[in-house]
Amino acid sequence: MGLVQAVKGAVGGVLADQWKDFYTVPTGLPSTAALFAAVPRGTNAGRGSNTSGSSNIISNGSKIVVPEGYGLLLFQDGAITAFVAEPGGYEWRSDDLNSQSIFAGDGLVSTFIKQSWERFKFGGQPGSQQAAFFVSLKELPDNRFGTQSEIYWDDAFLNTQVGAVTRGSYTLKIVDPILFVKNFVPASYLQPGQVFDFTDMDNAAATQLFNEVVGSLAPAFSLYSNDPAKGNRITRLQQDSIGFAQSLSAAVEQAYQWQSDRGLAIVKTAIVSIEYDANTRELLKTVQRADALSGARGNSNLQASVAQGIQSAGENGGAAGLVGVGMASGMFGAGNLQQPTAPAAEDPVAKLKKAKEMLDLGLITQSDYDALKAKALGL
């Protein structure tokens, strides 16, 4: 009885698999889908219907349409046999006995009798597996990264170690589809109906990539901020999505060999937020103050600060305060300011008050203040 069923299944399967199908992209795919099987269109406006064909056999003469932005990988018995990177319509042709079709001109005897015999030996099933998979060649968006605690790296510009909590996203691209499938995609995704999606949290392979990116953030920040050719600063990260993506991609490649082993590359990044630790925030304030007081802008700021000091001294400290400010402004390069005429009275308290104000404004250093204090007190 089993033999009868096997023969019946063999003949029925051969008849169904003569049908020439039309293969294309499945409907309802997410924009982040990276790899998925081509699916046959069994019906077209109510015309044509084949629901009995084998899911792992593609008949000769079947059409496969490759849309823009996708490549096509062909499989025979688990091995990649061809790759198509150009969009357009293609016709399936295979020397495999199970793919032969009378509708493709392969002959009646060879397609029916030989296939039936081969399938009889496999219990009515075809003794071969064929598949066509689409692989995305586009930038795949919405790949997230983030840290729950501070990461630290050495910053050459600030000349110290800095730290921050950060989060953002990056776009990923499959630059070598064959390497990607052979070395990274789990076998469970090389089945009809399965979709490999980097943003799927149930995808263990995608979770591994997330962990590797997080582990590469500190080296990436270091590469970016310590590049002497660019003079990059960490404050520019959020405005330079491509520049930081290159640093992140280089850090990932150095640690995990994404491109050379897996055929993957990071293209762009979008940093949503960077929250620096307390020490780094203080350092950044110092750098901003130094930037504001440098060059022509610094001279203008200095003159404005001294002028404000003269006004305050005139209001609060009288003539003695004006003399003290005049002495300090001449000492620090603001002698071109017009100084009011005042008696040469010595008021050490007013001098120290104005010197302290200039110290707080960052116009003089602590050592300068100490020297002025010693002189005013006669020490």
Side-chain angles (χ1 to χ4, degrees), residues 157-158 160 233 235 278-294 361-362:
F157 180 77
L158 297 177
T160 187
R233 302 186 188 181
T235 52
N279 291 335
T280 303
R281 288 195 298 270
E282 288 300 319
L283 285 171
L284 289 174
K285 288 180 182 179
T286 302
V287 170
Q288 290 170 350
R289 185 182 297 115
D291 287 345
L293 296 175
S294 63
L361 290 171

Side-chain angles (χ1 to χ4, degrees), residues 297-359:
R297 177 181 294 181
N299 188 46
S300 299
N301 286 338
L302 179 61
Q303 292 185 21
S305 298
V306 173
Q308 184 179 3
I310 292 173
Q311 181 179 357
S312 299
E315 294 174 353
N316 302 323
L322 292 174
V323 173
V325 173
M327 291 173 58
S329 61
M331 182 183 302
F332 294 104
N336 56 335
L337 291 175
Q338 184 175 358
Q339 310 256 337
T341 304
E346 294 292 332
D347 188 344
V349 175
K351 286 183 181 180
L352 289 177
K353 180 180 178 181
K354 296 317 302 176
K356 184 62 169 63
E357 288 179 358
M358 287 189 287
L359 175 65

Side-chain angles (χ1 to χ4, degrees), residues 99-164:
S99 288
Q100 294 184 5
S101 169
I102 58 174
F103 300 116
D106 292 326
L108 179 62
V109 175
S110 61
T111 55
F112 274 4
I113 299 179
K114 290 183 179 179
Q115 285 185 43
S116 295
W117 170 243
E118 287 297 318
R119 297 191 185 198
F120 173 75
K121 294 190 294 185
F122 286 93
Q125 299 296 320
S128 181
Q129 288 186 339
Q130 299 167 334
F133 279 81
F134 290 110
V135 58
S136 178
L137 304 179
K138 304 177 181 180
E139 287 184 45
L140 298 170
D142 205 30
N143 300 281
R144 308 292 179 88
F145 65 82
T147 60
Q148 295 182 346
S149 59
E150 288 87 355
I151 55 174
Y152 292 91
W153 67 96
D154 292 328
D155 188 284
F157 180 77
L158 297 177
N159 196 31
T160 187
Q161 188 179 71
V162 296

Side-chain angles (χ1 to χ4, degrees), residues 7-150:
V7 171
K8 179 180 178 182
V11 175
V14 169
L15 288 171
D17 287 340
Q18 300 298 308
W19 188 279
K20 294 198 296 182
D21 284 309
F22 183 84
Y23 287 80
T24 186
V25 174
T27 57
L29 279 174
S31 60
T32 51
L35 181 75
F36 46 88
V39 296
R41 297 292 186 189
T43 61
N44 182 21
R47 297 186 297 275
S49 178
N50 178 31
T51 59
S52 302
S54 301
S55 61
N56 59 343
I57 292 299
I58 303 176
S59 300
N60 279 345
S62 295
K63 306 296 183 182
I64 303 179
V65 174
V66 181
E68 288 281 358
Y70 291 92
L72 180 68
L73 284 165
L74 303 181
F75 290 79
Q76 175 76 36
D77 296 330
I80 298 175
T81 58
F83 173 68
V84 176
E86 296 295 327
Y90 296 87
E91 181 177 306
W92 175 275
R93 276 288 169 182
S94 174
D95 294 332
D96 189 277
L97 181 63
N98 295 281
S99 288
Q100 294 184 5
S101 169
I102 58 174
F103 300 116
D106 292 326
L108 179 62
V109 175
S110 61
T111 55
F112 274 4
I113 299 179
K114 290 183 179 179
Q115 285 185 43
S116 295
W117 170 243
E118 287 297 318
R119 297 191 185 198
F120 173 75
K121 294 190 294 185
F122 286 93
Q125 299 296 320
S128 181
Q129 288 186 339
Q130 299 167 334
F133 279 81
F134 290 110
V135 58
S136 178
L137 304 179
K138 304 177 181 180
E139 287 184 45
L140 298 170
D142 205 30
N143 300 281
R144 308 292 179 88
F145 65 82
T147 60
Q148 295 182 346
S149 59
E150 288 87 355

Side-chain angles (χ1 to χ4, degrees), residues 158-174:
L158 297 177
N159 196 31
T160 187
Q161 188 179 71
V162 296
V165 175
T166 184
R167 62 186 179 92
S169 64
Y170 60 92
T171 62
L172 194 61
K173 191 169 185 178
I174 302 171

